[in-house]
Amino acid sequence: MSLIEKTVLVTGGSRGIGRSIALLFAKEGANVIINYTKDEEGATDVIKEIESLGVKGLAIKANISKAEEVDKMIDEIKENFDRVDILINNAGITKDGLFIGMKERDWDKVMEVNLKGVFLCTKAVIRKMIKQKHGKIINISSIVGIIGNPGQVNYSASKAGVIGFTKSLAREVASRNITVNAIAPGFIETDMTKILPEDVKRNMVETIPMKKYGKPEDVANLAVFLSSDKADYITGQVIHVDGGMAM
Ligand code: NAP
C-alpha cells in the first residue's frame, strides 16, 4: 500500500487520531503536512517523527474555521510542495451539554470547526485535485452522526453534516477521479474522550459488542487504505471503526 511521493494534508495532526494518521502516512512513504491551533509542542514532535522516517513534514498553525487562516495555510503549502494528493479532514472539537442548556456559542463553535472547517479545507484543495485528475478526500465523521448521543446535539449534527457533505461531493467529483469517503469512529482513546467521567466511559464500553475502546491506529489504518490505489473504486461511503457499536 505504498504512498511514496504522495503528499497528504492532515488537519488536526498534533494529537490523537490525526497524529496517528500523520505518522502512518509517513511510514508508508508519504510527505505529510499537519495543522493545529494550540498544541505547538505536539505538532513539533509529530514533525520530528515524520522527518526521522525520511519523508518531508510540515506543521502549520491555522484555525480551520477561519477562511483567511486556511488561505494562508494553502499558500505555505504551495511554497513547499507541488501538490496535495490526499486531504484528511480530521480536526474536530466537542462542546457537550444537554440541549436544554446548550448555549448558542457552543452550537456555533462546533459547527464552525467540525463542518465549516471541512468545507473550507476541501474548497482550498479541490480545484488543484480536479486539474491533476486525482485526489482522495477522507472526512472523519463519527458514529454519533448516525445514531445520535445525548449531550451531543451540536456535535452529532456537525458529524451528520459531514456525512451529507461527503456523499454529495463524492457524486460531484467522481468523474474527475477524486474519491470522497467518511470514516465514522466509535469510542477511540484520545484527549477528546479522556475528559469523559469514568461512569460514562464504563457504561459506554458495555454498548460496544467488542467490549473495548478503539485506538487511534484503528482509524489510521482505514484512512491509509482509503487513500491508497487499492481503494480507487470506493467513494461516497461511510465506514465505521467502532467495534460494532453501530450496525
Ligand atoms: P483530539 O485528541 O481532541 O485532537 C483534535 C485535533 O484537532 C488536535 O490536533 C487539535 O489541535 C485539532 N484542532 C482542534 N480545533 C482545531 C481548529 N479549529 N483548527 C485546526 N485544528 C484544530 O481529538 P481526536 O479524538 O483525535 O479526534 C479527531 C477527529 O476524530 C475529530 O474530528 C473527532 O470529532 C473525530 N472522532 C473522535 C472520536 C473519539 O472517540 N476520539 C470518535 C469519533 C470521531 P490543537 O490542540 O492544536 O487545537
Side-chain angles (χ1 to χ4, degrees):
M1 210 141 42
S2 171
L3 292 163
I4 291 167
E5 310 265 294
K6 300 283 186 210
T7 299
V8 56
L9 166 60
V10 184
T11 68
S14 57
R15 298 183 278 124
I17 293 171
R19 174 182 187 278
S20 187
I21 292 174
L23 292 177
L24 191 57
F25 269 101
K27 280 186 196 135
E28 295 291 335
N31 298 315
V32 184
I33 306 147
I34 61 166
N35 92 314
Y36 66 97
T37 51
K38 289 176 267 183
D39 189 9
E40 188 152 355
E41 201 184 322
T44 308
D45 284 351
V46 173
I47 294 303
K48 269 193 208 143
E49 263 194 75
I50 286 170
E51 287 174 342
S52 75
L53 293 161
V55 293
K56 268 177 88 175
L58 177 67
I60 304 174
K61 183 172 172 158
N63 183 339
I64 56 156
S65 67
K66 308 263 182 236
E68 56 287 1
E69 293 194 29
V70 172
D71 288 347
K72 267 178 69 186
M73 172 170 78
I74 294 299
D75 288 344
E76 197 173 335
I77 292 172
K78 279 187 192 150
E79 283 165 24
N80 289 278
F81 298 88
D82 294 338
R83 53 197 274 156
V84 172
D85 302 284
I86 303 155
L87 168 66
I88 313 287
N89 279 312
N90 164 79
I93 58 164
T94 50
K95 296 263 177 219
D96 295 351
L98 291 175
F99 179 69
I100 202 82
M102 188 173 282
K103 302 269 186 293
E104 188 181 344
R105 65 171 179 273
D106 289 341
W107 171 270
D108 287 345
K109 190 81 199 141
V110 167
M111 286 295 165
E112 281 165 18
V113 177
N114 295 7
L115 194 50
K116 189 178 171 193
V118 171
F119 167 78
L120 290 174
C121 293
T122 307
K123 193 105 174 128
V125 302
I126 197 111
R127 267 181 206 282
K128 191 90 192 292
M129 284 183 176
I130 289 171
K131 263 200 197 134
Q132 71 203 21
K133 296 192 177 66
H134 180 266
K136 306 266 188 194
I137 298 170
I138 320 280
N139 299 321
I140 309 298
S141 176
S142 167
I143 57 148
V144 308
I146 299 162
I147 61 174
N149 196 26
Q152 291 199 309
V153 159
N154 50 358
Y155 181 78
S156 308
S158 72
K159 293 300 185 178
V162 166
I163 291 172
F165 176 98
T166 301
K167 292 182 180 183
S168 296
L169 186 65
R171 287 183 185 277
E172 285 189 27
V173 297
S175 64
R176 310 303 182 103
N177 200 29
I178 299 169
T179 63
V180 190
N181 289 291
I183 298 178
F187 190 106
I188 309 293
E189 282 178 318
T190 66
D191 291 347
M192 187 178 270
T193 45
K194 202 157 67 184
I195 54 168
L196 294 172
E198 279 310 315
D199 58 324
V200 172
K201 287 197 239 181
R202 258 196 314 276
N203 292 340
M204 189 88 79
V205 87
E206 282 312 309
T207 68
I208 305 172
M210 292 185 85
K211 301 286 178 232
K212 59 178 182 181
Y213 306 130
K215 299 203 176 327
E217 293 73 24
D218 295 320
V219 181
N221 284 327
L222 179 59
V224 163
F225 169 72
L226 288 173
S227 304
S228 75
D229 55 9
K230 298 211 184 308
D232 276 352
Y233 201 53
I234 301 174
T235 197
Q237 302 306 306
V238 183
I239 303 176
H240 297 195
V241 179
D242 66 354
M245 217 171 162
M247 57 169 105

mmCIF file of all heavy atoms in Angstrom, residues 11-18 35-40 62-65 89-94 109 113-114 140-143 155 159 184-193, ligand 1:
data_model
loop_
_atom_site.group_PDB
_atom_site.id
_atom_site.type_symbol
_atom_site.label_atom_id
_atom_site.label_comp_id
_atom_site.label_asym_id
_atom_site.label_seq_id
_atom_site.Cartn_x
_atom_site.Cartn_y
_atom_site.Cartn_z
ATOM 1 N N THR A 11 -5.590 17.594 8.818
ATOM 2 C CA THR A 11 -5.946 18.682 9.731
ATOM 3 C C THR A 11 -6.007 18.118 11.158
ATOM 4 O O THR A 11 -6.399 16.962 11.365
ATOM 5 C CB THR A 11 -7.280 19.360 9.353
ATOM 6 O OG1 THR A 11 -8.361 18.447 9.574
ATOM 7 C CG2 THR A 11 -7.290 19.818 7.900
ATOM 8 N N GLY A 12 -5.600 18.953 12.102
ATOM 9 C CA GLY A 12 -5.591 18.479 13.495
ATOM 10 C C GLY A 12 -4.658 17.304 13.681
ATOM 11 O O GLY A 12 -5.055 16.283 14.239
ATOM 12 N N GLY A 13 -3.417 17.472 13.236
ATOM 13 C CA GLY A 13 -2.476 16.345 13.295
ATOM 14 C C GLY A 13 -1.543 16.366 14.494
ATOM 15 O O GLY A 13 -0.617 15.567 14.564
ATOM 16 N N SER A 14 -1.781 17.275 15.431
ATOM 17 C CA SER A 14 -0.833 17.391 16.551
ATOM 18 C C SER A 14 -1.069 16.354 17.641
ATOM 19 O O SER A 14 -0.185 16.081 18.444
ATOM 20 C CB SER A 14 -0.927 18.798 17.158
ATOM 21 O OG SER A 14 -2.258 19.069 17.571
ATOM 22 N N ARG A 15 -2.266 15.802 17.689
ATOM 23 C CA ARG A 15 -2.614 14.866 18.775
ATOM 24 C C ARG A 15 -3.569 13.807 18.243
ATOM 25 O O ARG A 15 -4.089 13.929 17.131
ATOM 26 C CB ARG A 15 -3.366 15.603 19.895
ATOM 27 C CG ARG A 15 -2.597 16.671 20.559
ATOM 28 C CD ARG A 15 -3.379 17.297 21.692
ATOM 29 N NE ARG A 15 -4.339 18.309 21.257
ATOM 30 C CZ ARG A 15 -5.637 18.275 21.520
ATOM 31 N NH1 ARG A 15 -6.152 17.259 22.183
ATOM 32 N NH2 ARG A 15 -6.434 19.233 21.112
ATOM 33 N N GLY A 16 -3.828 12.804 19.081
ATOM 34 C CA GLY A 16 -4.928 11.865 18.881
ATOM 35 C C GLY A 16 -4.944 11.147 17.542
ATOM 36 O O GLY A 16 -3.919 10.691 17.030
ATOM 37 N N ILE A 17 -6.121 11.079 16.957
ATOM 38 C CA ILE A 17 -6.320 10.331 15.709
ATOM 39 C C ILE A 17 -5.499 10.950 14.571
ATOM 40 O O ILE A 17 -4.858 10.243 13.795
ATOM 41 C CB ILE A 17 -7.836 10.295 15.360
ATOM 42 C CG1 ILE A 17 -8.588 9.458 16.406
ATOM 43 C CG2 ILE A 17 -8.054 9.746 13.956
ATOM 44 C CD1 ILE A 17 -10.120 9.519 16.294
ATOM 45 N N GLY A 18 -5.485 12.288 14.502
ATOM 46 C CA GLY A 18 -4.759 12.975 13.428
ATOM 47 C C GLY A 18 -3.270 12.677 13.484
ATOM 48 O O GLY A 18 -2.625 12.454 12.455
ATOM 49 N N ASN A 35 -1.807 20.363 10.523
ATOM 50 C CA ASN A 35 -2.071 21.679 11.088
ATOM 51 C C ASN A 35 -2.625 21.524 12.505
ATOM 52 O O ASN A 35 -2.950 20.428 12.946
ATOM 53 C CB ASN A 35 -2.967 22.513 10.165
ATOM 54 C CG ASN A 35 -4.412 22.353 10.513
ATOM 55 O OD1 ASN A 35 -4.890 21.254 10.724
ATOM 56 N ND2 ASN A 35 -5.125 23.447 10.596
ATOM 57 N N TYR A 36 -2.659 22.627 13.205
ATOM 58 C CA TYR A 36 -3.061 22.632 14.618
ATOM 59 C C TYR A 36 -3.413 24.070 14.972
ATOM 60 O O TYR A 36 -3.154 24.984 14.166
ATOM 61 C CB TYR A 36 -1.894 22.117 15.494
ATOM 62 C CG TYR A 36 -0.706 23.040 15.478
ATOM 63 C CD1 TYR A 36 -0.499 23.979 16.491
ATOM 64 C CD2 TYR A 36 0.177 23.042 14.395
ATOM 65 C CE1 TYR A 36 0.561 24.870 16.435
ATOM 66 C CE2 TYR A 36 1.229 23.927 14.330
ATOM 67 C CZ TYR A 36 1.419 24.837 15.362
ATOM 68 O OH TYR A 36 2.456 25.742 15.289
ATOM 69 N N THR A 37 -3.991 24.260 16.168
ATOM 70 C CA THR A 37 -4.226 25.646 16.588
ATOM 71 C C THR A 37 -3.417 26.018 17.828
ATOM 72 O O THR A 37 -2.899 27.112 17.935
ATOM 73 C CB THR A 37 -5.718 25.928 16.905
ATOM 74 O OG1 THR A 37 -6.186 24.936 17.805
ATOM 75 C CG2 THR A 37 -6.561 25.965 15.659
ATOM 76 N N LYS A 38 -3.322 25.071 18.785
ATOM 77 C CA LYS A 38 -2.667 25.407 20.067
ATOM 78 C C LYS A 38 -1.456 24.542 20.372
ATOM 79 O O LYS A 38 -0.472 25.019 20.907
ATOM 80 C CB LYS A 38 -3.687 25.245 21.212
ATOM 81 C CG LYS A 38 -4.763 26.309 21.215
ATOM 82 C CD LYS A 38 -5.783 26.038 22.298
ATOM 83 C CE LYS A 38 -6.903 25.263 21.762
ATOM 84 N NZ LYS A 38 -8.038 24.831 22.269
ATOM 85 N N ASP A 39 -1.564 23.279 20.044
ATOM 86 C CA ASP A 39 -0.581 22.308 20.518
ATOM 87 C C ASP A 39 0.706 22.315 19.680
ATOM 88 O O ASP A 39 1.018 21.359 18.969
ATOM 89 C CB ASP A 39 -1.221 20.914 20.521
ATOM 90 C CG ASP A 39 -0.344 19.885 21.203
ATOM 91 O OD1 ASP A 39 0.672 20.283 21.812
ATOM 92 O OD2 ASP A 39 -0.658 18.686 21.119
ATOM 93 N N GLU A 40 1.471 23.416 19.821
ATOM 94 C CA GLU A 40 2.688 23.569 19.023
ATOM 95 C C GLU A 40 3.710 22.481 19.355
ATOM 96 O O GLU A 40 4.373 21.932 18.462
ATOM 97 C CB GLU A 40 3.281 24.953 19.297
ATOM 98 C CG GLU A 40 4.413 25.262 18.375
ATOM 99 C CD GLU A 40 4.575 26.753 18.137
ATOM 100 O OE1 GLU A 40 3.754 27.549 18.614
ATOM 101 O OE2 GLU A 40 5.549 27.096 17.454
ATOM 102 N N ALA A 62 -2.954 26.918 12.012
ATOM 103 C CA ALA A 62 -4.077 27.528 11.279
ATOM 104 C C ALA A 62 -5.385 27.002 11.842
ATOM 105 O O ALA A 62 -5.566 25.792 12.009
ATOM 106 C CB ALA A 62 -3.995 27.174 9.795
ATOM 107 N N ASN A 63 -6.272 27.935 12.131
ATOM 108 C CA ASN A 63 -7.607 27.547 12.599
ATOM 109 C C ASN A 63 -8.464 27.247 11.365
ATOM 110 O O ASN A 63 -8.749 28.147 10.570
ATOM 111 C CB ASN A 63 -8.191 28.714 13.397
ATOM 112 C CG ASN A 63 -9.544 28.362 13.985
ATOM 113 O OD1 ASN A 63 -10.227 27.450 13.519
ATOM 114 N ND2 ASN A 63 -9.926 29.100 15.005
ATOM 115 N N ILE A 64 -8.898 26.001 11.234
ATOM 116 C CA ILE A 64 -9.593 25.597 10.004
ATOM 117 C C ILE A 64 -10.980 26.235 9.854
ATOM 118 O O ILE A 64 -11.584 26.144 8.793
ATOM 119 C CB ILE A 64 -9.743 24.064 9.881
ATOM 120 C CG1 ILE A 64 -10.453 23.474 11.108
ATOM 121 C CG2 ILE A 64 -8.405 23.407 9.627
ATOM 122 C CD1 ILE A 64 -11.126 22.159 10.831
ATOM 123 N N SER A 65 -11.469 26.886 10.913
ATOM 124 C CA SER A 65 -12.789 27.511 10.784
ATOM 125 C C SER A 65 -12.696 28.947 10.265
ATOM 126 O O SER A 65 -13.716 29.619 10.089
ATOM 127 C CB SER A 65 -13.534 27.468 12.121
ATOM 128 O OG SER A 65 -12.879 28.284 13.067
ATOM 129 N N ASN A 89 -9.662 15.415 6.464
ATOM 130 C CA ASN A 89 -10.350 16.394 7.302
ATOM 131 C C ASN A 89 -10.621 15.750 8.651
ATOM 132 O O ASN A 89 -11.648 15.098 8.866
ATOM 133 C CB ASN A 89 -11.673 16.802 6.637
ATOM 134 C CG ASN A 89 -11.474 17.831 5.553
ATOM 135 O OD1 ASN A 89 -10.787 18.838 5.745
ATOM 136 N ND2 ASN A 89 -12.077 17.594 4.384
ATOM 137 N N ASN A 90 -9.652 15.930 9.551
ATOM 138 C CA ASN A 90 -9.724 15.242 10.845
ATOM 139 C C ASN A 90 -10.024 16.165 12.021
ATOM 140 O O ASN A 90 -10.690 15.756 12.960
ATOM 141 C CB ASN A 90 -8.383 14.514 11.081
ATOM 142 C CG ASN A 90 -8.208 14.121 12.524
ATOM 143 O OD1 ASN A 90 -8.772 13.134 12.982
ATOM 144 N ND2 ASN A 90 -7.425 14.899 13.275
ATOM 145 N N ALA A 91 -9.557 17.410 11.974
ATOM 146 C CA ALA A 91 -9.679 18.286 13.149
ATOM 147 C C ALA A 91 -11.137 18.402 13.584
ATOM 148 O O ALA A 91 -12.034 18.558 12.751
ATOM 149 C CB ALA A 91 -9.115 19.670 12.829
ATOM 150 N N GLY A 92 -11.358 18.313 14.862
ATOM 151 C CA GLY A 92 -12.735 18.423 15.363
ATOM 152 C C GLY A 92 -12.720 18.715 16.848
ATOM 153 O O GLY A 92 -11.721 18.492 17.537
ATOM 154 N N ILE A 93 -13.838 19.248 17.326
ATOM 155 C CA ILE A 93 -13.951 19.578 18.756
ATOM 156 C C ILE A 93 -15.326 19.144 19.277
ATOM 157 O O ILE A 93 -16.246 18.891 18.485
ATOM 158 C CB ILE A 93 -13.788 21.097 19.020
ATOM 159 C CG1 ILE A 93 -14.852 21.905 18.224
ATOM 160 C CG2 ILE A 93 -12.394 21.575 18.671
ATOM 161 C CD1 ILE A 93 -15.006 23.340 18.707
ATOM 162 N N THR A 94 -15.434 19.097 20.593
ATOM 163 C CA THR A 94 -16.743 18.881 21.227
ATOM 164 C C THR A 94 -17.011 20.049 22.179
ATOM 165 O O THR A 94 -16.067 20.648 22.724
ATOM 166 C CB THR A 94 -16.770 17.579 22.063
ATOM 167 O OG1 THR A 94 -15.636 17.575 22.934
ATOM 168 C CG2 THR A 94 -16.750 16.340 21.201
ATOM 169 N N LYS A 109 -19.661 27.187 17.622
ATOM 170 C CA LYS A 109 -18.240 26.824 17.645
ATOM 171 C C LYS A 109 -18.030 25.427 17.050
ATOM 172 O O LYS A 109 -17.142 25.220 16.220
ATOM 173 C CB LYS A 109 -17.752 26.875 19.110
ATOM 174 C CG LYS A 109 -16.288 26.765 19.284
ATOM 175 C CD LYS A 109 -15.583 28.102 19.049
ATOM 176 C CE LYS A 109 -14.113 27.836 18.765
ATOM 177 N NZ LYS A 109 -13.479 28.628 17.781
ATOM 178 N N VAL A 113 -15.990 24.624 13.454
ATOM 179 C CA VAL A 113 -14.779 23.792 13.302
ATOM 180 C C VAL A 113 -15.120 22.498 12.560
ATOM 181 O O VAL A 113 -14.489 22.151 11.555
ATOM 182 C CB VAL A 113 -14.149 23.469 14.692
ATOM 183 C CG1 VAL A 113 -12.946 22.535 14.517
ATOM 184 C CG2 VAL A 113 -13.738 24.753 15.403
ATOM 185 N N ASN A 114 -16.136 21.781 13.023
ATOM 186 C CA ASN A 114 -16.370 20.417 12.511
ATOM 187 C C ASN A 114 -16.986 20.377 11.112
ATOM 188 O O ASN A 114 -16.765 19.426 10.373
ATOM 189 C CB ASN A 114 -17.301 19.645 13.464
ATOM 190 C CG ASN A 114 -16.673 19.419 14.830
ATOM 191 O OD1 ASN A 114 -15.603 19.935 15.118
ATOM 192 N ND2 ASN A 114 -17.338 18.650 15.675
ATOM 193 N N ILE A 140 -13.336 12.739 8.657
ATOM 194 C CA ILE A 140 -13.557 11.995 9.896
ATOM 195 C C ILE A 140 -14.877 12.468 10.517
ATOM 196 O O ILE A 140 -14.973 13.579 11.050
ATOM 197 C CB ILE A 140 -12.387 12.152 10.907
ATOM 198 C CG1 ILE A 140 -11.034 11.840 10.235
ATOM 199 C CG2 ILE A 140 -12.631 11.246 12.115
ATOM 200 C CD1 ILE A 140 -10.857 10.420 9.701
ATOM 201 N N SER A 141 -15.875 11.619 10.392
ATOM 202 C CA SER A 141 -17.186 11.891 10.988
ATOM 203 C C SER A 141 -17.218 11.210 12.352
ATOM 204 O O SER A 141 -16.214 11.209 13.079
ATOM 205 C CB SER A 141 -18.279 11.374 10.043
ATOM 206 O OG SER A 141 -19.545 11.532 10.613
ATOM 207 N N SER A 142 -18.331 10.596 12.692
ATOM 208 C CA SER A 142 -18.452 9.876 13.970
ATOM 209 C C SER A 142 -19.718 9.035 13.921
ATOM 210 O O SER A 142 -20.690 9.434 13.257
ATOM 211 C CB SER A 142 -18.556 10.872 15.128
ATOM 212 O OG SER A 142 -18.973 10.211 16.302
ATOM 213 N N ILE A 143 -19.724 7.948 14.663
ATOM 214 C CA ILE A 143 -20.980 7.170 14.675
ATOM 215 C C ILE A 143 -22.117 7.946 15.344
ATOM 216 O O ILE A 143 -23.278 7.683 15.072
ATOM 217 C CB ILE A 143 -20.834 5.769 15.330
ATOM 218 C CG1 ILE A 143 -20.317 5.897 16.731
ATOM 219 C CG2 ILE A 143 -20.030 4.839 14.470
ATOM 220 C CD1 ILE A 143 -20.868 4.805 17.601
ATOM 221 N N TYR A 155 -22.570 18.379 18.270
ATOM 222 C CA TYR A 155 -21.532 17.525 17.686
ATOM 223 C C TYR A 155 -22.142 16.513 16.704
ATOM 224 O O TYR A 155 -21.645 16.329 15.593
ATOM 225 C CB TYR A 155 -20.790 16.806 18.822
ATOM 226 C CG TYR A 155 -19.661 15.907 18.401
ATOM 227 C CD1 TYR A 155 -18.420 16.435 18.038
ATOM 228 C CD2 TYR A 155 -19.813 14.519 18.394
ATOM 229 C CE1 TYR A 155 -17.370 15.605 17.668
ATOM 230 C CE2 TYR A 155 -18.771 13.682 18.031
ATOM 231 C CZ TYR A 155 -17.548 14.227 17.666
ATOM 232 O OH TYR A 155 -16.516 13.397 17.294
ATOM 233 N N LYS A 159 -21.444 16.156 12.693
ATOM 234 C CA LYS A 159 -20.893 14.933 12.105
ATOM 235 C C LYS A 159 -21.858 14.310 11.088
ATOM 236 O O LYS A 159 -21.414 13.672 10.118
ATOM 237 C CB LYS A 159 -20.524 13.930 13.213
ATOM 238 C CG LYS A 159 -19.375 14.403 14.093
ATOM 239 C CD LYS A 159 -18.106 14.632 13.290
ATOM 240 C CE LYS A 159 -16.901 14.999 14.129
ATOM 241 N NZ LYS A 159 -15.677 15.178 13.352
ATOM 242 N N ALA A 184 -16.371 6.796 10.241
ATOM 243 C CA ALA A 184 -17.172 7.071 11.439
ATOM 244 C C ALA A 184 -16.604 6.254 12.605
ATOM 245 O O ALA A 184 -16.979 5.094 12.784
ATOM 246 C CB ALA A 184 -18.633 6.721 11.179
ATOM 247 N N PRO A 185 -15.691 6.875 13.372
ATOM 248 C CA PRO A 185 -15.163 6.143 14.532
ATOM 249 C C PRO A 185 -16.199 6.065 15.644
ATOM 250 O O PRO A 185 -17.091 6.920 15.760
ATOM 251 C CB PRO A 185 -13.967 6.995 14.985
ATOM 252 C CG PRO A 185 -13.696 7.962 13.874
ATOM 253 C CD PRO A 185 -15.015 8.175 13.205
ATOM 254 N N GLY A 186 -16.044 5.025 16.460
ATOM 255 C CA GLY A 186 -16.877 4.918 17.671
ATOM 256 C C GLY A 186 -16.141 5.608 18.800
ATOM 257 O O GLY A 186 -15.811 6.782 18.708
ATOM 258 N N PHE A 187 -15.834 4.860 19.854
ATOM 259 C CA PHE A 187 -15.149 5.438 21.012
ATOM 260 C C PHE A 187 -13.655 5.138 20.890
ATOM 261 O O PHE A 187 -13.223 4.008 21.036
ATOM 262 C CB PHE A 187 -15.706 4.822 22.293
ATOM 263 C CG PHE A 187 -15.245 5.511 23.544
ATOM 264 C CD1 PHE A 187 -16.107 6.327 24.265
ATOM 265 C CD2 PHE A 187 -13.950 5.358 23.999
ATOM 266 C CE1 PHE A 187 -15.676 6.968 25.417
ATOM 267 C CE2 PHE A 187 -13.506 5.999 25.145
ATOM 268 C CZ PHE A 187 -14.376 6.804 25.863
ATOM 269 N N ILE A 188 -12.878 6.170 20.602
ATOM 270 C CA ILE A 188 -11.435 5.999 20.409
ATOM 271 C C ILE A 188 -10.707 6.702 21.564
ATOM 272 O O ILE A 188 -11.079 7.826 21.944
ATOM 273 C CB ILE A 188 -10.982 6.612 19.052
ATOM 274 C CG1 ILE A 188 -11.858 6.097 17.882
ATOM 275 C CG2 ILE A 188 -9.496 6.358 18.805
ATOM 276 C CD1 ILE A 188 -11.747 4.639 17.538
ATOM 277 N N GLU A 189 -9.686 6.052 22.098
ATOM 278 C CA GLU A 189 -8.960 6.616 23.250
ATOM 279 C C GLU A 189 -8.050 7.772 22.835
ATOM 280 O O GLU A 189 -6.980 7.549 22.260
ATOM 281 C CB GLU A 189 -8.111 5.524 23.904
ATOM 282 C CG GLU A 189 -8.934 4.608 24.776
ATOM 283 C CD GLU A 189 -8.117 3.493 25.394
ATOM 284 O OE1 GLU A 189 -7.273 2.909 24.680
ATOM 285 O OE2 GLU A 189 -8.331 3.209 26.576
ATOM 286 N N THR A 190 -8.512 8.998 23.079
ATOM 287 C CA THR A 190 -7.712 10.206 22.800
ATOM 288 C C THR A 190 -8.045 11.245 23.878
ATOM 289 O O THR A 190 -8.884 10.995 24.755
ATOM 290 C CB THR A 190 -8.078 10.833 21.433
ATOM 291 O OG1 THR A 190 -9.423 11.326 21.515
ATOM 292 C CG2 THR A 190 -7.956 9.858 20.280
ATOM 293 N N ASP A 191 -7.443 12.435 23.749
ATOM 294 C CA ASP A 191 -7.756 13.517 24.706
ATOM 295 C C ASP A 191 -9.251 13.842 24.698
ATOM 296 O O ASP A 191 -9.822 14.228 25.712
ATOM 297 C CB ASP A 191 -6.994 14.803 24.316
ATOM 298 C CG ASP A 191 -5.494 14.648 24.525
ATOM 299 O OD1 ASP A 191 -5.092 13.671 25.186
ATOM 300 O OD2 ASP A 191 -4.742 15.497 24.009
ATOM 301 N N MET A 192 -9.876 13.695 23.505
ATOM 302 C CA MET A 192 -11.292 14.056 23.367
ATOM 303 C C MET A 192 -12.185 13.197 24.271
ATOM 304 O O MET A 192 -13.162 13.670 24.824
ATOM 305 C CB MET A 192 -11.721 13.895 21.903
ATOM 306 C CG MET A 192 -13.111 14.405 21.629
ATOM 307 S SD MET A 192 -13.558 14.262 19.901
ATOM 308 C CE MET A 192 -12.994 15.816 19.259
ATOM 309 N N THR A 193 -11.830 11.923 24.419
ATOM 310 C CA THR A 193 -12.661 11.014 25.217
ATOM 311 C C THR A 193 -12.132 10.872 26.647
ATOM 312 O O THR A 193 -12.871 10.448 27.536
ATOM 313 C CB THR A 193 -12.738 9.628 24.543
ATOM 314 O OG1 THR A 193 -11.431 9.246 24.118
ATOM 315 C CG2 THR A 193 -13.657 9.657 23.349
HETATM 316 P P1 NAP B 1 -8.268 15.394 19.871
HETATM 317 O O1 NAP B 1 -7.368 14.397 20.505
HETATM 318 O O2 NAP B 1 -9.000 16.354 20.721
HETATM 319 O O3 NAP B 1 -7.416 16.204 18.761
HETATM 320 C C1 NAP B 1 -8.041 17.188 17.995
HETATM 321 C C2 NAP B 1 -7.062 17.750 16.988
HETATM 322 O O4 NAP B 1 -7.749 18.756 16.229
HETATM 323 C C3 NAP B 1 -5.865 18.426 17.623
HETATM 324 O O5 NAP B 1 -4.733 18.226 16.816
HETATM 325 C C4 NAP B 1 -6.261 19.904 17.614
HETATM 326 O O6 NAP B 1 -5.134 20.758 17.592
HETATM 327 C C5 NAP B 1 -7.017 19.984 16.299
HETATM 328 N N1 NAP B 1 -7.947 21.108 16.223
HETATM 329 C C6 NAP B 1 -8.989 21.395 17.029
HETATM 330 N N2 NAP B 1 -9.614 22.501 16.622
HETATM 331 C C7 NAP B 1 -8.959 22.928 15.518
HETATM 332 C C8 NAP B 1 -9.128 24.033 14.647
HETATM 333 N N3 NAP B 1 -10.105 24.929 14.808
HETATM 334 N N4 NAP B 1 -8.267 24.163 13.605
HETATM 335 C C9 NAP B 1 -7.269 23.271 13.413
HETATM 336 N N5 NAP B 1 -7.051 22.220 14.215
HETATM 337 C C10 NAP B 1 -7.889 22.053 15.262
HETATM 338 O O7 NAP B 1 -9.387 14.665 19.006
HETATM 339 P P2 NAP B 1 -9.445 13.187 18.388
HETATM 340 O O8 NAP B 1 -10.148 12.335 19.370
HETATM 341 O O9 NAP B 1 -8.136 12.794 17.882
HETATM 342 O O10 NAP B 1 -10.485 13.438 17.194
HETATM 343 C C11 NAP B 1 -10.068 13.600 15.849
HETATM 344 C C12 NAP B 1 -11.311 13.576 14.967
HETATM 345 O O11 NAP B 1 -11.994 12.329 15.156
HETATM 346 C C13 NAP B 1 -12.330 14.653 15.325
HETATM 347 O O12 NAP B 1 -12.947 15.128 14.149
HETATM 348 C C14 NAP B 1 -13.339 13.919 16.167
HETATM 349 O O13 NAP B 1 -14.590 14.531 16.140
HETATM 350 C C15 NAP B 1 -13.345 12.565 15.492
HETATM 351 N N6 NAP B 1 -13.826 11.482 16.345
HETATM 352 C C16 NAP B 1 -13.190 11.152 17.503
HETATM 353 C C17 NAP B 1 -13.690 10.101 18.264
HETATM 354 C C18 NAP B 1 -13.049 9.678 19.555
HETATM 355 O O14 NAP B 1 -13.627 8.807 20.223
HETATM 356 N N7 NAP B 1 -11.914 10.215 19.944
HETATM 357 C C19 NAP B 1 -14.835 9.415 17.848
HETATM 358 C C20 NAP B 1 -15.455 9.780 16.666
HETATM 359 C C21 NAP B 1 -14.932 10.812 15.907
HETATM 360 P P3 NAP B 1 -4.910 21.874 18.761
HETATM 361 O O15 NAP B 1 -4.947 21.174 20.052
HETATM 362 O O16 NAP B 1 -3.618 22.487 18.442
HETATM 363 O O17 NAP B 1 -6.068 22.809 18.597
#
